[in-house]
Structures are given as structure tokens and as C-alpha cells.
Amino acid sequence: MIKIKDLHKSYQMGKNSLHVLKGINFEVSEGEMVAIMGSSGSGKSTLLNILGILDEPDDGTYTLNHTLIENLNEKVAAKYRNKFLGFVFQSFNLINYKSALENVAMPLYYQRVSRSTRIEKALHYLKKVGLADWASHLPNELSGGQKQRVAIARALASDPKVLLADEPTGALDSKTSYEVMNLIQQINDEGKTILIVTHEEDIARMCKRIVNLKDGVIISDSKVKQVRAKSIEHV
Ligand code: ADP
Ligand code: MG
């Protein structure tokens, strides 16, 4: 599903250059649930942004769903993003003046899905995350956990090949984090490929594989026995 080879990325800061990714190699197969771990500043978001076609590497190759992602103009990049990828962020990134339903329906609008189908699909995914009754509510009427569930429904609405989540539980307390992870595990159980950036050990252990980044390289990459969020949601 995802294949990256010898990926490099530097940021130019005036005369100085910061080499953030120094030759990253990995592959992710369909149905995997992978945690990308590392301390703050280790390049996790940089890597996820490249995987999300939001940024480009300086060197190396990235293949997504058998498509080489290289030198794309913004229009084609957006097309691939919409077709292949769903995003979840720490800060939810919901549109404040739109209802939960409208937020979830939004990506479908850009895919020129008809209005009635947009509403039908958005409702389906809101139901899936347990928020059907909250469809007409605005984000500021929802709790943090509910906002993240709306964001997850929005990410799923276009049925992406891969779900990319950057610190999805970073703004949530433990109990709410585990509820959100329980939902993400259920989505993976149904076969969706998921990559989660986190610096929290307990969240990483809810994935099936942990990739550790340090100083721009992968220092470990191993399959782990998945801890089910459900089993510790109530502690
Ligand atoms: P993480 O997500 O692991 O905390 P990031 O990928 O966000 O790390 O950042 C890695 C390093 O690159 C940090 O030192 C950060 O300050 C730097 N960095 C990130 N984005 C930029 C940018 N757009 N311009 C310059 N430096 C950046
Ligand atoms: Mg980050």
C-alpha cells in the first residue's frame, strides 16, 4: 500500500539547513495499523506530511497504492489526496460555523458527489462513530472526544485507502483517548490501513506495529501484540 525508499528531507532556515529525515525506508501493507513514534522534533509530522502528499521529500521515492508520488502539480496532488488518503489531526480541524454533518460531508463536495448522496454518506459515517444524534450540532457544542469522532467520520467519508492520524489523541484526556483509539481499532478491524503518529507509549501499543524514529532515522520497527483500548477504557 505504502512503500518509501531512502527518503530525505531538510528544511532551509536562512543559511542553515536542518536535515530532518535522513534516509527513511519502510513499507506498509493493506490492513496494517502502524504507530510512528519518536520524541518531539524527531520528524514524525514531516514524515506523515510527505506520506499525506502535503509536502515533498528532497530525495527518495514514495509509492502509494502502486502510484509513484513524484513531481505532482497541486491539482494532481489534491486528486490523489482525496482519492487515497484520510486525515485526522490533533486539533480536529473542523469548520466552526458548519454542523457535524456538514463537516463530514465537506470532502465529498470537493469530489462532486451530489448533495443527497453527500448527506446520506455523512449520516452513515456519523452513525458509525456514534454521533448520529449530534448531526446538526456545531463543533463548539461537542466535547473534544466527539469532535475527534466527527473528524474521523470526515476522514472516512471518501473511503480512503489509508487513514493518516497525527497525534489524534494529543488534545484528549486518557479516558477519551482510549475511546477514540477504540473507534480507530474498530475501523482497522474492518480492514482500513492506518498510520498514527504519537509520542505516547500507551497509544502506540494499541497499534499492531511500532516504528521508532530518532534523529532522522528509523531505529526500530517491529510488530507488537495489540492492546485493545476497550480493555482499559474504564481505568
Ligand atoms: P515531530 O512531529 O516529530 O515533533 P516535526 O516533523 O514537526 O517533528 O519537526 C522536525 C524538525 O523539523 C523540528 O526541529 C522542527 O522544528 C523542524 N521543522 C518542521 N517543520 C519545519 C518547517 N516548515 N520549516 C523549518 N523547520 C521545520
Ligand atoms: Mg508533530
Side-chain angles (χ1 to χ4, degrees):
M1 181 63 65
I2 285 176
K3 197 179 217 171
I4 61 173
K5 266 191 96 174
D6 211 23
L7 208 72
H8 285 261
K9 177 75 182 177
S10 298
Y11 290 113
Q12 228 54 316
M13 312 261 287
K15 282 185 181 167
N16 299 319
S17 139
L18 184 66
H19 200 176
V20 178
L21 301 178
K22 304 173 183 169
I24 303 283
N25 294 285
F26 75 42
E27 289 184 28
V28 177
S29 307
E30 191 161 2
E32 281 202 271
M33 181 167 174
V34 185
I36 299 172
M37 282 203 84
S39 54
S40 180
S42 59
K44 304 183 297 296
S45 294
T46 300
L47 177 58
L48 206 74
N49 289 344
I50 292 171
L51 294 174
I53 328 180
L54 295 164
D55 201 354
E56 286 183 326
D58 301 326
D59 212 349
T61 58
Y62 171 27
T63 313
L64 171 62
N65 200 44
H66 310 293
T67 306
L68 183 65
I69 304 298
E70 198 173 55
N71 300 325
L72 307 180
N73 65 40
E74 186 42 45
K75 204 171 159 196
V76 177
K79 189 182 116 189
Y80 287 161
R81 262 197 311 270
N82 291 335
K83 192 165 156 196
F84 294 140
L85 303 164
F87 293 91
V88 177
F89 300 96
Q90 174 171 353
S91 49
F92 322 125
N93 293 11
L94 299 176
I95 297 173
N96 288 323
Y97 56 86
K98 291 201 180 281
S99 69
L101 186 80
E102 290 166 330
N103 268 282
V104 176
M106 188 68 103
L108 301 169
Y109 175 84
Y110 291 108
Q111 294 188 8
R112 298 159 194 253
V113 175
S114 75
R115 184 178 152 78
S116 59
T117 308
R118 290 200 304 269
I119 292 171
E120 189 186 312
K121 283 196 174 185
L123 258 179
H124 169 80
Y125 284 100
L126 271 182
K127 204 175 278 177
K128 199 174 172 68
V129 301
L131 291 175
D133 292 343
W134 294 81
S136 61
H137 287 254
L138 293 172
N140 67 12
E141 298 168 329
L142 305 175
S143 69
Q146 287 175 323
K147 281 184 213 172
Q148 197 57 301
R149 278 149 64 194
V150 171
I152 290 168
R154 178 184 56 186
L156 293 175
S158 45
D159 194 24
K161 290 277 180 192
V162 181
L163 191 66
L164 299 174
D166 195 346
E167 309 264 8
T169 61
L172 307 174
D173 61 62
S174 293
K175 183 176 184 295
T176 311
S177 292
Y178 298 161
E179 286 165 6
V180 164
M181 286 306 293
N182 181 39
L183 173 62
I184 293 176
Q185 287 181 332
Q186 286 170 16
I187 293 161
N188 175 251
D189 291 345
E190 291 168 12
K192 190 75 72 191
T193 309
I194 302 179
L195 270 77
I196 300 179
V197 158
T198 182
H199 61 269
E200 294 167 299
E201 185 78 41
D202 54 343
I203 299 300
R205 291 182 45 207
M206 291 173 184
C207 299
K208 295 171 173 168
R209 171 178 163 198
I210 302 180
V211 172
N212 263 296
L213 268 183
K214 193 180 178 191
D215 299 329
V217 295
I218 292 176
I219 54 165
S220 68
D221 180 348
S222 49
K223 293 216 158 110
V224 292
K225 183 170 162 24
Q226 185 182 44
V227 174
R228 295 300 296 196
K230 192 96 192 138
S231 66
I232 51 173
E233 220 175 72
H234 302 294
V235 295

